[in-house]
Amino acid sequence: MAELVVVSDEQAAGALVADAIVSLIRRKPDAVLGLATGSTPLATYRALADRIGGGTLDVRGVRGFALDEYVGLPAGHPESYRAVITREVVEPLGLTPELVRVPNGDPATVEHAGADYEQAILAAGGVDLQILGIGRTGHIGFNEPGSSLASLTRVKTLTEPTRADNARFFDSPEDVPMHCITQGIGTILRARHLVLLAFGEAKADAIAAAVEGPVTASQPGSAVQLHPHTTVIVDEAAASKLENLSYYRHAWLNKPSWQGI
Ligand code: GLP
C-alpha cells in the first residue's frame, strides 16, 4: 500500500516533503530530483528554498528532471515549463541551471526528444525522489487517461479538460498547446521514491481512484500502487473520498519514529 498522510494544509505538506528532500541531499549531494509543475508543488519549493536559504546545505550538485513540457511554445514563453521550472525551482533554490533538464518541446526535434530524455535520466542514474501532482482527469505528468502503464517519455495530445484547467495560465484557452512531451508512466515508476501531492476537493475523486481504485490506464494516478515506495500527501478535502481513511491516519500516527516518509 502507498503510505497516505493527511495534513492540515499545503504548507504542512511542503514542510514534510522539503524535510525529506533536505535529508536526501545531505545523504547524496548530487541527488536527482523529479520536478513537477502546476500549483500543487509550489509550497514544497518554497519550504525547500527557506531551508536552503540558511546556506548550510550545498545544492550546487543537485540535479533535476522536469516531468513534462508543452510542444510548440516559443522559447522563453513564460508559461513553458522550462520557464516555470527556472522561476519556481532553479532560481529560488539556487540550483545549477545546467543540471536541471526539461523535455525539449521544440517541434523541430520533438520526434527524438523523448528518447534523448530517457537517455539523460538513465545517464544520471535515475530519479531519487519524484514529486507528483495529479490532474482532475487523473493524469500524472501529462499522462492522460489511456496512457500505457509502461510508457516512456513521448509526445501526447492533451485532453480538453486539461487544456481548460491550464487555460488560466494563458491569455486565452486557444493558446494552450494541443500537444505536450511527458515522462511516461513507466519512466515515473523507475524513480526510487514517489511523492504524490493533492489539495482541495477538486482532487478528491482523482486521489480516491489513484489510491484505492483498480490499477488501470484509465486512471494514470493509480500506477503509484505499483511502486514499492510511494508517499501520498493530501489535505482533508482531497482525502474526503477515501474509504480507508481511518486506517491511513492510524498507520501515520503509529509510524515508527525512525522512518522518514
Ligand atoms: C499539469 C501538469 C501536472 C500537474 C497538473 C495539476 O497538467 N502537467 O504535472 O500535476 O497540471 O496541476 P495543479 O497542481 O495546478 O492542480
Side-chain angles (χ1 to χ4, degrees):
M1 184 195 93
E3 175 171 62
L4 189 130
V5 188
V6 184
V7 292
S8 51
D9 54 24
E10 298 185 32
Q11 282 62 40
L16 208 53
V17 185
D19 285 344
I21 294 175
V22 166
S23 87
L24 167 66
I25 297 171
R26 287 202 199 288
R27 284 196 311 276
K28 184 177 177 187
D30 63 347
V32 180
L33 302 179
L35 303 166
T37 50
S39 44
T40 303
L42 292 179
T44 294
Y45 298 142
R46 289 196 192 110
L48 199 49
D50 287 348
R51 281 155 179 73
I52 293 169
T56 54
L57 189 67
D58 184 356
V59 296
R60 285 171 301 177
V62 171
R63 297 166 290 165
F65 286 92
L67 279 171
D68 44 16
E69 176 60 290
Y70 293 110
V71 171
L73 288 182
H77 189 291
E79 293 310 327
S80 71
Y81 284 172
R82 159 58 72 192
V84 172
I85 290 286
T86 300
R87 198 164 62 228
E88 306 289 358
V89 184
V90 176
E91 290 174 352
L93 270 55
L95 302 185
T96 305
E98 301 75 45
L99 297 183
V100 179
R101 301 270 304 248
V102 179
N104 186 346
D106 180 349
T109 53
V110 80
E111 220 175 305
H112 57 83
D116 294 349
Y117 205 63
E118 289 293 325
Q119 191 49 47
I121 296 173
L122 285 177
V127 170
D128 290 302
L129 185 150
Q130 175 65 58
I131 300 168
L132 294 171
I134 191 163
R136 258 196 316 150
T137 63
H139 68 252
I140 51 174
F142 264 140
N143 294 283
E144 297 282 23
S147 295
S148 157
L149 299 180
S151 50
L152 301 178
T153 307
R154 76 256 183 255
V155 172
K156 288 289 289 180
T157 306
L158 295 173
T159 60
E160 286 308 311
T162 297
R163 290 184 73 223
D165 281 349
N166 290 0
R168 66 190 193 278
F169 299 113
F170 291 83
D171 292 337
S172 89
E174 304 85 68
D175 291 347
V176 183
M178 188 64 77
H179 296 102
C180 63
I181 174 166
T182 180
Q183 285 190 33
I185 296 175
T187 319
I188 292 168
L189 289 177
R190 287 178 185 161
R192 285 180 271 280
H193 182 192
L194 303 183
V195 178
L196 172 60
L197 301 164
F199 311 111
E201 210 187 332
K203 300 291 175 73
D205 284 319
I207 282 295
V211 176
E212 295 181 341
V215 175
T216 165
S218 300
Q219 285 290 339
S222 67
V224 301
Q225 295 177 43
L226 296 170
H227 195 281
H229 188 186
T230 296
T231 310
V232 182
I233 307 178
V234 291
D235 64 4
E236 295 285 347
S240 59
K241 297 196 175 164
L242 290 165
E243 281 185 11
N244 292 326
L245 191 51
S246 58
Y247 175 67
Y248 307 138
R249 292 191 205 277
H250 173 73
W252 178 248
L253 279 174
N254 292 291
K255 187 170 169 123
S257 55
W258 53 266
Q259 282 183 342
I261 59 168

